[in-house]
Amino acid sequence: MTTGRVNPAQTLEHQGITGLGTVYYNLLEPAIIQEALKRDEGTLGKGGAFLVTTGQFTGRSPKDKHVVRSASTEDTIWWENNAPMTEAAFDQLYADMIDHMKGRNYFVQDMYAGADPAQRLDVRLVTELAWHNLFIRHMFRRPERAELDGYIPEFTVINCPSFKADPAKHGCRSETVIAMNFDRKLILIGNTEYAGENKKSVFSLLNYLLPEKGIMPMHCSANHVDGNPVDAAVFFGLSGTGKTTLSADPDRTLLGDDEHGWSDRGTFNFEGGCYAKTISLSAEAEPEIFATTDMFGTVIENMVFDPETFELDFEDSSLTANMRCAYPLHYIPNASENGLGGHPKNIVMLTCDAFGVLPPIARLTPAQAMYHFLSGFTSKVAGTERGVTEPEPTFSTCFGAPFMPRRPEVYGNLLRDKISAHGATCWLVNTGWTGGAYGIGSRMPIKATRALLTAALNGTLGEGTFRKDPNFGFEVPVALAGIDDQLLDPRQTWADPAAYDAQAAKLVEMFANNFAQYTAHIDEDVKAVAIG
């Protein structure tokens, strides 16, 4: 039995998936929430927000992601970073998952990945959980209802949390699996209820497909000056570094908070919504995001709430520090209607430095920008991945290694070419620690970060005086009105300058050791940055 709106020639049965129970196609938010409540999948909260928990998995499972190794992928996949799966193992996994699904009810959303009509990908997402369907409607671009009559999916994602993989049989690491088959245009997700796997699987897919078109896929947020889409900025960074927070600027138009492309036309959002961390979220510091937490249909994931008043507890991390809310872009008052911007005038690389060494902001040359992009230094923050309970220094190339199917140099060269062609100014921004390492120092004041970013984006910071950092060679501003000069020189914020010097030397050595893997594939000027 089927219900909802769908191209009659493109049902799951036409894709060879038969024997299911009721299949709900492209339901709207009220109907999805009704079905989720019937199934006791969550709780209706204040304002109609939908409150859910995800059980065992409260973050991504990157070690359980596999790519099918075939003739077409053998020489294009970065196998050191992507676990292979044989074609036979995937075929068996697919057959067993479909057999498991028989007789059960499923929810389908036919969506667009990509705001630029010329570059978008038509992705069908099939979910066992109704609330995952709600999440997907927020996170991807929605076709008009009339467009669904002729919709033809190019790729299909099947998410079945109740299915457990068999490592011996399916060639995977554990009972949890995310398996990508680019030849069969299928992605299979099993044994995890964490909704973020849906969006990141499609991001990984775009990261594979778009470079062949000369389009740079970016793990970044983006915005532009109100009324002037040409004056755009992008913010690279891993989860927890501030992409969502810093791009939600009331004085700029938000393109999106996580995933974008950079084509010959300009920047475009891959998604249709935001997936924001809510730990310590406040109406004072982040009013636009905070306001979404009691709006109709917002998915509230893994947050503790009062069972009588349904008030959310933004400080209780007993379920996970990775508590989140997912909402459509139009819930942010200054969000772009079309998700399109110009070529970035400013590129910001966000890092959460748990060592307390890096300054709050630094200006990068193009060679330094490629060095820091390929390095992708940051700290994994609590809850984003399973097992991470406090910040851990890490190097995640391109600020998104878990989502990069191709070698890092592919993305690095694309970015460098576009920076060169369009003259973007590049900045490194530390949203991590100052005055000492994690456990001793304190988090960088968000008001200072916002003020420095505003000055960088409007051009006033670039007009000031800069000093050369003795450790990394980039330029650091020496003053900005309203900012304590001491904050701009991290060595001065430490009680023991000698301890800072030792910590800085340690971090420089970590950078050098990590970057050694790229020296055979980069130009001499970038190599010179690495050597110092």
Side-chain angles (χ1 to χ4, degrees), residues 104-414:
R104 301 168 185 255
N105 300 335
Y106 281 83
F107 298 83
V108 176
Q109 288 290 332
D110 292 326
M111 307 296 286
Y112 297 143
D116 186 346
Q119 309 300 343
R120 76 187 183 202
L121 185 71
D122 296 356
V123 182
R124 166 168 285 176
L125 297 109
V126 183
T127 68
E128 180 178 30
L129 295 174
W131 79 262
H132 274 194
N133 228 236
L134 179 64
F135 175 88
I136 287 162
R137 275 194 63 77
H138 294 338
M139 296 316 304
F140 296 104
R141 312 289 301 187
R142 306 170 182 178
E144 297 294 332
R145 300 300 285 176
E147 292 178 297
L148 294 172
D149 295 335
Y151 184 96
I152 301 175
E154 298 174 67
F155 277 78
T156 299
V157 179
I158 302 175
N159 190 327
C160 188
S162 66
F163 176 81
K164 296 182 184 297
D166 181 339
K169 189 177 182 182
H170 301 132
C172 50
R173 190 185 73 97
S174 73
E175 292 181 334
T176 302
V177 66
I178 302 97
M180 309 185 70
N181 191 324
F182 296 123
D183 295 326
R184 291 191 61 178
K185 299 186 175 183
L186 279 171
I187 300 173
L188 307 178
I189 303 172
N191 195 46
T192 172
E193 294 185 23
Y194 182 64
E197 299 289 11
N198 294 290
K199 74 191 269 346
K200 291 306 186 187
S201 68
V202 175
F203 183 42
S204 298
L205 173 59
L206 292 168
N207 283 334
Y208 181 73
L209 298 175
L210 293 180
E212 291 185 344
K213 300 180 179 181
I215 297 171
M216 175 65 191
M218 303 179 290
H219 189 209
C220 71
S221 57
N223 61 26
H224 64 72
V225 170
D226 282 344
N228 184 13
V230 173
D231 193 346
V234 300
F235 304 76
F236 285 102
L238 288 178
S239 297
T241 54
K243 293 194 312 298
T244 300
T245 297
L246 296 173
S247 57
D249 184 334
D251 296 323
R252 295 175 67 88
T253 298
L254 178 69
L255 291 178
D257 80 327
D258 197 40
E259 302 169 6
H260 293 79
W262 187 355
S263 69
D264 291 340
R265 189 213 56 79
T267 50
F268 64 98
N269 191 2
F270 289 165
E271 300 183 310
C274 299
Y275 191 35
K277 288 176 72 81
T278 55
I279 189 166
S280 298
L281 185 68
S282 71
E284 294 73 30
E286 299 168 78
E288 294 85 7
I289 300 172
F290 187 87
T292 69
T293 60
D294 62 2
M295 291 184 179
F296 180 77
T298 292
V299 175
I300 303 295
E301 195 178 65
N302 294 318
M303 287 191 71
V304 174
F305 59 91
D306 187 295
E308 294 183 10
T309 67
F310 299 99
E311 291 286 343
L312 300 171
D313 190 332
F314 292 88
E315 302 302 327
D316 189 337
S317 60
S318 57
L319 293 177
T320 176
N322 192 37
M323 50 178 134
R324 290 178 178 263
C325 63
Y327 51 88
L329 265 172
H330 66 261
Y331 279 9
I332 299 295
N334 60 328
S336 168
E337 291 185 5
N338 60 17
L340 303 174
H343 298 288
K345 287 190 175 181
N346 288 278
I347 294 173
V348 179
M349 298 183 186
L350 300 169
T351 180
C352 176
D353 174 20
F355 283 88
V357 169
L358 296 177
I361 194 166
R363 186 168 59 188
L364 307 176
T365 66
Q368 289 170 340
M370 186 167 180
Y371 176 78
H372 284 277
F373 180 70
L374 289 176
S375 297
F377 170 70
T378 190
S379 301
K380 292 179 182 178
V381 294
T384 303
E385 291 182 11
R386 285 190 290 146
V388 178
T389 58
E390 63 181 44
E392 295 179 1
T394 187
F395 291 90
S396 185
T397 189
C398 309
F399 293 99
F403 324 119
M404 303 296 166
R406 298 179 183 271
R407 278 205 58 84
E409 296 84 3
V410 172
Y411 308 104
N413 288 329
L414 261 175

Side-chain angles (χ1 to χ4, degrees), residues 476-496:
V476 181
V478 298
L480 181 70
I483 301 295
D484 184 350
D485 291 351
Q486 192 177 52
L487 187 68
L488 295 170
D489 186 351
R491 190 173 188 269
Q492 294 186 38
T493 68
W494 282 53
D496 182 354

Side-chain angles (χ1 to χ4, degrees), residues 249 346 361 427 448-464 466 477 479-481 483:
D249 184 334
N346 288 278
I361 194 166
W427 305 90
T449 302
R450 285 191 182 279
L452 289 164
L453 262 180
T454 297
L457 300 185
N458 66 26
T460 58
L461 188 64
E463 296 170 357
F466 287 74
L480 181 70
I483 301 295

